[in-house]
């Protein structure tokens, strides 16, 4: 069933909620929606888990306000969903931009609620290069992408999807994925990229106490594998699960391996 959840700020967050059992909450990446987790939506309820997929503000079926795209604002949106659904013990999964948002949520609201944290191709602890952090794209490259979005968002997203995968996928699949990004608001897409460009979670990693599993593709061109090393170096109780043949979209590049590893973590 779909929930339209009214937040403290008067906005509506959409969450898909399917199945029964231990809740597994999914937070998507830039610039798509909970629909990117279609395969998990199909499979987890069969295995006795409750799939909950949140559309972040500005994306998918959620409201698209003018200026609610910081990690704090999005973490609060996740918090509002968790409270509305009365979740007390659950597994939190964050993909790409959803990774740092999941970290911020856990530290700010969910330390007692998140039993396991899964970071998939996470844009954490920092997405862009800065002092003592030579990984990822330069801030100027993020600025260029923002300028391109303002000029021709569809073309920018089409170019982005070409970087997303290391394996070949069918053209209909690629079109489907491309259109998920087009569902987002233009201003939300831009301001979320500004958050990716500017935010820094290096000091927050040490506060994560939940068992954390870092799924990361060795061929990731968007969030390099160096990110995984930085995350596990800061999160005490963490395990890296490398995907040798995957780019950023490891859920699709090595779909069967991802499902196997996901079930192993959930059942462990």
């Amino acid at each position: 069933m779909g929930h339209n959840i009214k937040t403290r700020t008067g906005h509506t967050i959409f969450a898909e909620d399917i199945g029964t059992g231990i809740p597994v909450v999914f937070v998507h990446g830039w610039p798509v929606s909970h629909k990117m987790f279609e395969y998990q939506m199909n499979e987890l309820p069969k295995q006795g888990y409750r799939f909950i997929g949140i559309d972040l503000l500005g994306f998918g079926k959620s409201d698209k306000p003018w200026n609610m795209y910081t990690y704090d604002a999005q973490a609060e949106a996740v918090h509002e969903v968790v409270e509305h659904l009365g979740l007390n013990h659950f597994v939190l999964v964050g993909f790409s931009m959803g990774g740092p948002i999941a970290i911020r949520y856990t530290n700010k609201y969910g330390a007692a609620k998140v039993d396991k944290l899964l970071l998939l191709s996470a844009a954490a602890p920092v997405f862009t290069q800065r002092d003592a952090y030579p990984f990822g794209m330069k801030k100027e490259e993020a600025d260029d992408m923002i300028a391109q979005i303002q000029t021709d968002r569809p073309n920018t997203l089409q170019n982005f999807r070409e970087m997303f995968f290391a394996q070949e996928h069918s053209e209909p699949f690629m079109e489907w994925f491309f259109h998920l990004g087009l569902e987002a608001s233009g201003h939300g897409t831009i301001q979320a990229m500004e958050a990716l460009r500017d935010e820094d979670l290096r000091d927050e990693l040490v506060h994560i106490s939940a068992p954390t599993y870092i799924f990361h593709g060795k061929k990731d061109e968007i969030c390099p594998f160096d990110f995984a090393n930085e995350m596990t170096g800061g999160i005490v109780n963490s395990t890296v699960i490398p995907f040798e043949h995957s780019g950023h979209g490891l859920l699709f590049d090595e779909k069967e391996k991802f499902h196997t590893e996901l079930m192993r973590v959930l059942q462990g």
Side-chain angles (χ1 to χ4, degrees):
M1 89 175 48
H3 301 276
N4 288 298
I5 297 159
K6 218 43 152 180
T7 69
R8 175 186 62 83
T9 55
H11 300 108
T12 299
I13 301 290
F14 178 81
E16 194 72 77
D17 185 358
I18 301 173
T20 58
I22 295 169
V24 186
V25 177
F26 288 81
V27 184
H28 65 81
W30 183 96
V32 289
S33 71
H34 83 277
K35 290 180 182 177
M36 70 164 289
F37 300 113
E38 179 175 321
Y39 184 68
Q40 291 69 50
M41 223 182 301
N42 293 346
E43 293 297 322
L44 287 185
K46 289 184 194 173
Q47 307 290 338
Y49 292 92
R50 179 181 172 190
F51 172 96
I52 298 168
I54 299 171
D55 281 349
L56 294 168
L57 286 165
F59 301 90
K61 296 180 183 177
S62 288
D63 277 358
K64 299 167 175 64
W66 173 243
N67 60 354
M68 299 285 290
Y69 302 102
T70 63
Y71 291 170
D72 273 347
Q74 298 286 23
E76 183 175 352
V78 174
H79 171 64
E80 299 261 15
V81 172
V82 168
E83 292 301 298
H84 179 86
L85 298 180
L87 307 180
N88 287 312
H89 291 283
F90 62 94
V91 177
L92 181 60
V93 183
F95 174 82
S96 193
M97 181 181 72
I101 291 167
I103 291 169
R104 178 67 55 81
Y105 164 80
T106 302
N107 280 332
K108 203 167 179 184
Y109 304 102
K113 295 175 181 284
V114 175
D115 290 340
K116 293 175 183 175
L117 176 64
L118 279 61
L119 301 172
L120 318 180
S121 308
V126 192
F127 183 63
T128 53
Q129 297 177 19
R130 57 204 66 202
D131 290 345
Y133 193 88
F135 314 117
M137 67 171 63
K138 294 182 172 68
K139 284 191 172 186
E140 295 76 24
E141 292 176 286
D143 289 336
D144 287 346
M145 189 176 285
I146 289 166
Q148 291 163 21
I149 292 166
Q150 291 168 327
T151 304
D152 188 340
R153 182 167 67 107
N155 188 60
T156 308
L157 297 187
Q158 184 130 351
N159 292 336
F160 182 71
R161 83 171 190 183
E162 300 305 321
M163 299 170 59
F164 212 88
F165 306 101
Q167 301 299 320
E168 288 291 318
H169 298 279
S170 72
E171 188 52 36
F173 169 85
M174 296 294 276
E175 280 296 301
W176 167 76
F177 194 78
F178 168 63
H179 281 280
L180 293 185
L182 288 181
E183 292 176 12
S185 63
H187 58 276
T189 301
I190 289 166
Q191 291 181 52
M193 178 54 67
E194 291 172 348
L196 280 162
R197 179 194 66 195
D198 296 340
E199 302 226 30
D200 185 343
L201 276 66
R202 283 178 288 181
D203 293 341
E204 298 180 37
L205 298 181
V206 295
H207 302 298
I208 296 288
S209 58
T212 301
Y213 301 87
I214 299 163
F215 294 57
H216 220 99
K218 284 289 189 76
K219 299 181 177 181
D220 196 328
E221 294 181 13
I222 295 168
C223 295
F225 195 78
D226 301 294
F227 287 17
N229 296 328
E230 291 293 306
M231 283 184 278
T232 197
I235 301 172
V236 176
N237 189 5
S238 62
T239 304
V240 176
I241 301 171
F243 284 69
E244 299 291 338
H245 308 294
S246 287
H248 195 56
L250 55 80
L251 295 77
F252 307 103
D253 278 346
E254 293 182 80
K255 187 164 70 172
E256 295 307 323
K257 175 178 176 173
F258 177 76
H259 180 68
T260 299
E261 293 292 346
L262 175 63
M263 294 312 302
R264 188 173 62 80
V265 166
L266 291 180
Q267 293 167 356

